[in-house]
């Protein structure tokens, strides 16, 4: 279990920029991810029910998005957001949260919550470059034509809820780790980018390499 916790913590550090992840108040609107920093466009007034942004982020009755605020919401505002169908999950520097949004929401409601930008993470922001380039390590290719990956979902999801979406891209679950919102997936190598693009997927990483035995003699062997 400790190894699993370490692995998930490492993956989250890959996803987020290697800075202290705390919700400090500032006016720097650069979103800082491991893939780099960028300033999301101000767009809340232009989002409509038929927006491509919402369509591309929809899965099983929810939109999986990232929301950036003009300033951090207080607890009362978070309660209002939750009551409106907007659940804040992971904080991202700066002033942003990964989020689930109820599919039936009226986009006009975004204007009442001091929201600066709403966007969807790109494939490059959800994984490491080697995976998108198809450079698969030997330890992750245990079955010919397939690669084993760890994914982190935006929220804790039942395995049965995502099985259909995975089967559609020639993938299946090897291990379910609900405590960490995580699954180990075996997927056809030519379908990996489709996995990264699934709306509910927040991060994709190769499985851990097996532990290597140390060959450095211990102190007792030097007596």
């Amino acid at each position: 279990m400790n190894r699993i916790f370490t692995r998930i913590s490492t993956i989250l550090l890959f996803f987020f920029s290697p800075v202290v992840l705390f919700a400090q108040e500032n006016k720097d609107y650069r979103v800082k991810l491991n893939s780099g920093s960028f300033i999301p466009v101000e767009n809340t007034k232009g989002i409509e029910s038929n927006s491509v942004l919402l369509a591309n982020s929809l899965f099983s009755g929810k939109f999986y998005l990232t929301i950036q605020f003009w300033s951090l919401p207080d607890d009362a505002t978070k309660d209002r957001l939750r009551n409106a169908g907007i659940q804040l999950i992971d904080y991202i520097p700066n002033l942003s949260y990964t989020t689930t949004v109820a599919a039936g929401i009226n986009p006009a409601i975004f204007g009442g919550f001091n929201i600066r930008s709403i966007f969807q993470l790109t494939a490059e922001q959800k994984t490491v470059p080697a995976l998108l380039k198809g450079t698969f390590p030997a330890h992750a290719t245990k079955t010919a034509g397939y690669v084993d990956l760890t994914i982190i979902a935006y929220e804790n999801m039942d395995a049965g809820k995502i099985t259909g979406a995975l089967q559609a891209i020639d993938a299946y679950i090897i291990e379910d780790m609900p405590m960490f919102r995580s699954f180990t997936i075996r997927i056809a190598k030519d379908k990996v980018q489709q996995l990264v693009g699934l709306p509910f997927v927040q991060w994709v990483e190769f499985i851990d390499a097996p532990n290597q035995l140390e060959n450095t003699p211990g102190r007792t062997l030097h007596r």
Side-chain angles (χ1 to χ4, degrees):
M1 181 59 70
N2 287 338
R3 186 170 182 234
I4 293 174
F5 178 79
T6 300
R7 179 176 65 190
I8 301 305
S9 298
T10 301
I11 290 172
L12 285 173
L13 285 175
F14 267 113
F15 174 69
F16 297 122
S17 176
V19 297
V20 177
L21 299 184
F22 62 94
Q24 66 178 4
E25 182 69 38
N26 63 66
K27 296 301 179 182
D28 182 356
Y29 296 111
R30 290 174 298 167
V31 174
K32 299 176 181 179
L33 302 173
N34 185 68
S35 58
S37 300
F38 72 101
I39 299 178
V41 63
E42 300 174 31
N43 65 350
T44 53
K45 294 181 180 179
I47 296 177
E48 300 179 353
S49 297
N50 60 351
S51 294
V52 173
L53 171 65
L54 296 183
N56 289 343
S57 63
L58 179 63
F59 178 79
S60 190
K62 293 182 180 180
F63 300 115
Y64 291 89
L65 297 161
T66 302
I67 291 180
Q68 184 179 64
F69 295 87
W70 288 105
S71 58
L72 287 174
D74 57 19
D75 289 341
T77 302
K78 289 179 181 179
D79 287 340
R80 290 176 52 228
L81 286 161
R82 191 179 303 111
N83 291 335
I86 303 170
Q87 179 66 50
L88 306 184
I89 305 174
D90 294 325
Y91 177 74
I92 305 176
N94 285 305
L95 303 171
S96 305
Y97 288 87
T98 58
T99 310
T100 63
V101 178
I105 199 167
N106 180 353
I109 202 171
F110 294 136
F113 288 106
N114 199 33
I115 294 173
R116 180 184 179 276
S117 180
I118 300 175
F119 58 96
Q120 187 179 28
L121 296 171
T122 67
E124 291 76 15
Q125 293 165 343
K126 294 166 72 174
T127 189
V128 293
L131 191 144
L132 294 179
K133 293 177 181 177
T135 305
F136 305 133
H139 76 268
T141 53
K142 299 180 179 181
T143 301
Y146 288 79
V147 61
D148 291 358
L149 305 171
T150 298
I151 68 170
I152 295 178
Y154 273 76
E155 61 177 347
N156 196 353
M157 305 183 77
D158 183 83
K161 191 173 185 178
I162 66 173
T163 297
L166 295 176
Q167 289 177 341
I169 56 173
D170 198 5
Y172 59 94
I173 297 171
I174 297 175
E175 184 179 6
D176 180 2
M177 296 170 282
M179 183 179 296
F180 304 107
R181 300 176 1 217
S182 178
F183 301 90
T184 301
I185 304 294
R186 181 162 292 166
I187 183 170
K189 291 181 177 180
D190 62 347
K191 300 295 179 62
V192 166
Q193 295 203 25
Q194 293 182 49
L195 175 68
V196 178
L198 290 175
F200 63 85
V201 172
Q202 178 174 311
W203 178 256
V204 185
E205 173 76 4
F206 296 116
I207 61 167
D208 282 345
N211 289 332
Q212 298 293 323
L213 292 176
E214 295 183 5
N215 57 9
T216 303
R219 292 182 60 185
T220 56
L221 299 183
H222 288 281
R223 291 178 180 175

